[in-house]
Amino acid sequence: MKHIPVLLNAVKDTLGDIHGRTIVDCTFGAGGYTREFLESGANVIAFDRDVNVVPDAKEIQKQYGDRFRFINAPFSEINQLDQNDFDDVVFDLGISSMQIDNGARGFSFRFDAPLDMRMDTRTKLTAADLIKKLSDSELADILYEYGDIKKSYMMAKILKKELPETTFQLRDLIKNPNDVAPIFQALRIAVNDEMGQIKSALSNVHNLLRPGGRCICVTFHSIEDRIVKNTFRKWTEVGGDPRLPTVKVAEYKPLRTMVPSNEELVKNPRARSAHMRGVIKV
Ligand SMILES: C[S@@+](CC[C@H](N)C(=O)[O-])C[C@H]1O[C@@H](n2cnc3c(N)ncnc32)[C@H](O)[C@@H]1O
C-alpha cells in the first residue's frame, strides 16, 4: 500500500508560504511531503535511510532537477549539511506503509518472514540478532520502555530461551494478544535506534536553521513525542538549552501542536497516534 502522508495539511499550514525556501525533509518515505513542498515552489533536500525509496527519489529528481537532492542515509547525518543554510527542517517519524506492508521485511506480525525489521538493510543487527545479543534485563527494558509491556522480564526470558528467527515464531511466543503489536513495535524502535536518531538530529537542527526557520516534527510514539516536546521546550525558554548561546530572549517561539482530525482518521487510521509540534527560530 502506498503511504498516505499524515498531517500534511497541518505541516503545510504551519510552514506558511514556502516558495523559494530550502527545506530539509528528514524522512522522505513515499515522497508525500517532499512533492508538496516542491509543488509549492520550495527547494528540498531529503533524507531516508531505506534503500527501497531510491527509485521514487530518482523519479522526483527527473521531474524537479536541482531543486531536489536526495541523501540515502540516516537523518542523524544532517550535521554534515552546511550550517545556517536552511529555512526549515521537517521530520515525519516512524515507518511507512511500504515498510510495514512489505511482508518480507519482518516489521509485521501479519506476514511470515525472517525477523528483520531494519529500515536500513546496510546495518548489521536484525531484530532476531538483537534478541540474541541483549541480556534478559536489557531486552526487558526495551519491551517495558518502548512497548509498555507489564511482564516484560518474563517475556524477555521467553524470547531469550526460544530465540525466534521469524515473525510468526515471535508472534506465537506472545500469549497475550494485546502485547503482540507493542512487542513488535518495541523491537523495531530498538533495532533502528529510533530515539537515538531523533535526539542526535535535533541536537544539530539549531546550527542549520536560518533566522525565521522552522523545525516541525510529526511523531507516532509517546516517548518520541516527549523527546520532541522537551527539546522544543528547552529551545523556547531563555537559557533552557546550554548548547544555545545565552541570550536575554528565547531563540525560538513555539508553533501550534496538532493531531489528526476525525476526517483524516477516517481516511487514514494509521494516523491515529500522530502529534505535530513545531518551533520557529526568531
Ligand atoms: C512515516 S514515513 C515518511 C513518509 C513521508 N513523509 C511521506 O509523506 O511519504 C518515515 C520514513 O522515514 C524513514 N526514516 C525513519 N527514521 C529515519 C532515520 N533515522 N533516518 C532516515 N530516514 C528515516 C523511514 O525509512 C521511512 O521511509
Side-chain angles (χ1 to χ4, degrees):
M1 177 175 159
K2 190 83 175 167
H3 185 85
I4 305 172
V6 174
L7 284 169
L8 178 58
N9 286 332
V11 170
K12 271 170 48 188
D13 289 350
T14 311
L15 287 173
D17 181 7
I18 54 173
H19 193 272
R21 291 173 76 88
T22 302
I23 302 182
V24 186
D25 178 355
C26 290
T27 49
F28 176 80
Y33 280 23
T34 282
R35 273 184 194 281
E36 279 292 326
F37 299 156
L38 288 163
E39 278 301 301
S40 305
N43 305 309
V44 176
I45 296 189
F47 281 84
D48 203 298
R49 58 180 164 181
D50 189 342
V51 76
N52 291 289
V53 309
V54 170
D56 276 357
K58 284 196 170 142
E59 271 309 304
I60 295 186
Q61 185 80 69
K62 271 192 221 150
Q63 219 176 323
Y64 295 92
D66 58 11
R67 284 179 50 215
F68 173 66
R69 183 176 147 211
F70 178 72
I71 302 173
N72 187 206
F75 57 58
S76 51
E77 293 187 15
I78 56 170
N79 62 348
Q80 292 177 22
L81 298 178
D82 289 339
Q83 300 207 347
N84 299 314
D85 216 16
F86 301 94
D87 293 299
D88 306 292
V89 179
V90 177
F91 298 86
D92 175 23
L93 297 164
I95 53 170
S96 69
S97 294
M98 292 85 68
Q99 290 167 328
I100 191 111
D101 293 338
N102 180 334
R105 299 194 62 180
F107 286 109
S108 170
F109 51 85
R110 290 178 294 131
F111 310 104
D112 197 10
L115 193 57
D116 189 325
M117 298 197 188
R118 289 168 302 162
M119 290 184 194
D120 183 345
T121 45
R122 296 163 297 191
T123 58
K124 290 224 162 56
L125 282 190
T126 65
D129 298 332
L130 193 76
I131 293 171
K132 283 194 199 111
K133 181 175 167 251
L134 296 177
S135 68
D136 292 14
S137 60
E138 285 169 334
L139 186 56
D141 286 349
I142 283 170
L143 300 179
Y144 184 74
E145 201 179 339
Y146 300 147
D148 207 14
I149 301 300
K150 299 288 175 273
K151 294 183 177 164
S152 57
Y153 195 74
M154 207 163 87
M155 191 68 235
K157 274 188 100 62
I158 295 172
L159 299 188
K160 288 293 297 176
K161 178 164 175 279
E162 302 295 335
L163 299 178
E165 291 282 353
T166 70
T167 49
F168 278 9
Q169 285 171 9
L170 171 60
R171 184 197 64 183
D172 294 345
L173 291 171
I174 306 169
K175 294 296 165 252
N176 180 350
N178 295 329
D179 284 350
V180 175
I183 287 176
F184 271 72
Q185 175 182 256
L187 289 171
R188 187 205 85 211
I189 289 173
V191 166
N192 296 290
D193 185 25
E194 293 179 36
M195 304 307 160
Q197 280 285 314
I198 186 65
K199 280 185 196 159
S200 158
L202 284 177
S203 72
N204 285 301
V205 164
H206 176 67
N207 297 328
L208 302 182
L209 286 180
R210 297 181 185 130
R214 292 165 170 83
C215 177
I216 296 182
C217 292
V218 176
T219 64
F220 292 85
H221 187 280
S222 57
I223 296 183
E224 195 173 70
D225 188 50
R226 203 179 319 137
I227 291 170
V228 173
K229 187 170 80 178
N230 291 340
T231 305
F232 285 177
R233 188 181 294 146
K234 277 192 214 153
W235 292 3
T236 52
E237 279 170 5
V238 179
D241 187 337
R243 276 183 304 240
L244 300 185
T246 314
V247 284
K248 293 215 169 58
V249 288
E251 283 221 63
Y252 288 84
K253 283 195 179 139
L255 298 167
R256 60 194 168 162
T257 299
M258 301 279 286
V259 294
S261 63
N262 286 338
E263 201 187 338
E264 175 166 2
L265 290 176
V266 170
K267 284 193 202 135
N268 185 12
R270 285 184 175 171
R272 67 188 166 275
S273 51
H275 279 79
M276 187 208 80
R277 297 180 188 276
V279 284
I280 180 167
K281 193 173 189 176
V282 287

